[in-house]
Amino acid sequence: MNPTATHPAAQFDIQRVRADFPILNELVHGKPLIYLDNAATSQKPNPVIKALDEYYRRYNSNIHRGVHALAERATEAYESSRRKIARYLNAPNQHEIIFTRGTTESINLVASSYATSVLKPGDEVLITWLEHHSNIVPWQIACEKTGAVLKVVPINERGEVEPDQFEAMLSERTKIVAFAHISNALGTINPVREFTEMAHRAGAVVIIDGAQAAPHMRVDVQAIGCDFYALSGHKMFGPTGIGVLWGRTSLLDKMPPYQGGGDMIQSVTFEKTVYNDLPYKFEAGTPHIAGGIGLGAAVDYLDALDAEGIMAHEHDLTRYATEQLSQIEGLRLIGTAANKVSVLSFTLEGIHPYDMAPVLDHEGVAVRTGHHCAQPVMDRYQIPATVRASIAFYNTRQDIDALVAALAKVQRMFSGL
Amino acid sequence: MTHQTDVTIEELIENFEFLGDWEQRFTYLLDLGKKLPPMPPEDCNEQTRVHGCQATVYLKERVINNGDTRIEFDATADAFLVNGLIAILRIIYNAKTPQQILDTDIQGILKQLDLEEHLSPTRRNGLHSMVKRIQSLAAAHQ
């Protein structure tokens, strides 16, 4: 925990990586941008911006049904993204990669299509106290429709889901278990493999909200062993409005379509419609073609980076930030899990997070304040909101120092109140 | 509890103009919030809660019948800055008749105060929620 100790992150060429992200040179209120809101959305590297630009500039066209050169090129680029993502997640089959608008839609797809067709009254859906609203509300809706019951595994004071408590809440009634890989509000990394094994032993199907994990680590869906994995492109350096649901073929095949429309059918008559094969069965209408292609570019970009170097760098930054913030009088860190990364959620005694936000903003520091779409987490700690600083691999110790300096200014400005 | 504010809206606009930079205005706003009279805890309940603000805000009207009907507002928030905004709304609206409240060009005044520029969109929504509550209370007493 010594911030001056040498660490593997020292080998990670941070300046070269930062040069790939043009937005990091922006000035905010006349000050250099210190972007620490990565859990909300990440910034985009040049190759992603270029891929979007090139698609619209050179081969914009609808996919899958065109017979001309541009349509073929667009289809190939879009489908090649699917292949890249399948490989990146170590999915056994590329047709298991369903493009969605993001994690929220991916979870809604499973909750709407899978959950409502299998759940019966008295069945249980198990989630954890750490979940983002998008991994709570779709299950509430599915339970309301089916008469199933939503159960919630509590967290401890550090913000961890304890494996024995998790296991204790599983039973033969548990049909679906949904949990975050990494908590967006606290940064806690859940033991996803262990939880998946436990849930499978109880006979439940497992869906993991990977929105916060994909930007920070290599995700291997086969190694985890889960049944569905959801992620958002915009949080992993890709465009907004595109995300992925990975699911097992055996489950996806049995699921009814989520939305009806073009591209998801083989044949339509007024009497009967035959649905298309995977993945198209779940991709009704013209998709976000540019987004899919941009996400492929983001995956290529991540693939070329040193994944271990990134993780070491982010863990080092998280440790450094934890130490620096802990030295601030009156600062309370919310979420101190033994295994956490990238998120520093905190309150300052006597100063509402919303009062801190404008001061931090005018110092060029971009953070998030609020309940982070995780109101139950805030209730657990009996606080209305936190300030959340969240790190990406392009952040530096100087960024953390700037945050600490801005917080000192907050304290000066509010000291007389 | 004092219902008098010692600053008029004209003076407020002038003060904001005089305070050049953001930091001075922000501090002034906090100062206004600090002087806000406290709201009795029993008045802070679900009925008086203003949703749509990121901070927790309670707002209650008091009707004064002295020949004509005038309305005064008490409000409180758990954030200093929001208390500052409440103080400004009190200066703008307090002790007016329901019709005067509804006729007030609130957007124009806020624009003159140049507040909008200093508020994030979410905070603007919060301010708007308080204004809407005040307007609907005024309409109910018309």
Side-chain angles (χ1 to χ4, degrees), chain A residues 33-59:
Chain A
L33 169 67
I34 308 292
Y35 190 75
L36 291 170
D37 196 17
N38 294 285
T41 198
S42 61
Q43 298 304 344
K44 317 305 170 200
N46 280 318
V48 170
I49 299 167
K50 188 165 166 264
L52 293 172
D53 182 81
E54 208 168 83
Y55 165 72
Y56 283 122
R57 214 177 272 280
R58 304 199 48 209
Y59 62 100

Side-chain angles (χ1 to χ4, degrees), chain A residues 136-154:
Chain A
I136 301 173
V137 184
W139 305 116
Q140 287 175 327
I141 295 171
C143 285
E144 266 172 38
K145 278 187 186 161
T146 58
V149 182
L150 187 67
K151 296 272 178 176
V152 186
V153 190

Side-chain angles (χ1 to χ4, degrees), chain A residues 267-310:
Chain A
S267 65
V268 176
T269 64
F270 287 120
E271 289 72 38
K272 185 171 174 58
T273 290
V274 179
Y275 301 128
N276 205 339
D277 296 328
L278 290 175
Y280 311 112
K281 182 171 85 170
F282 293 108
E283 295 181 359
T286 296
H288 185 5
I289 303 167
I293 293 168
L295 181 53
V299 163
D300 279 342
Y301 180 80
L302 286 170
D303 226 2
L305 291 176
D306 164 20
E308 277 184 27
I310 285 176

Side-chain angles (χ1 to χ4, degrees), chain A residues 109-127:
Chain A
L109 195 162
V110 177
S112 167
S113 168
Y114 178 76
T116 53
S117 56
V118 300
L119 289 177
K120 306 221 165 10
D123 284 348
E124 291 177 3
V125 176
L126 187 64
I127 61 171

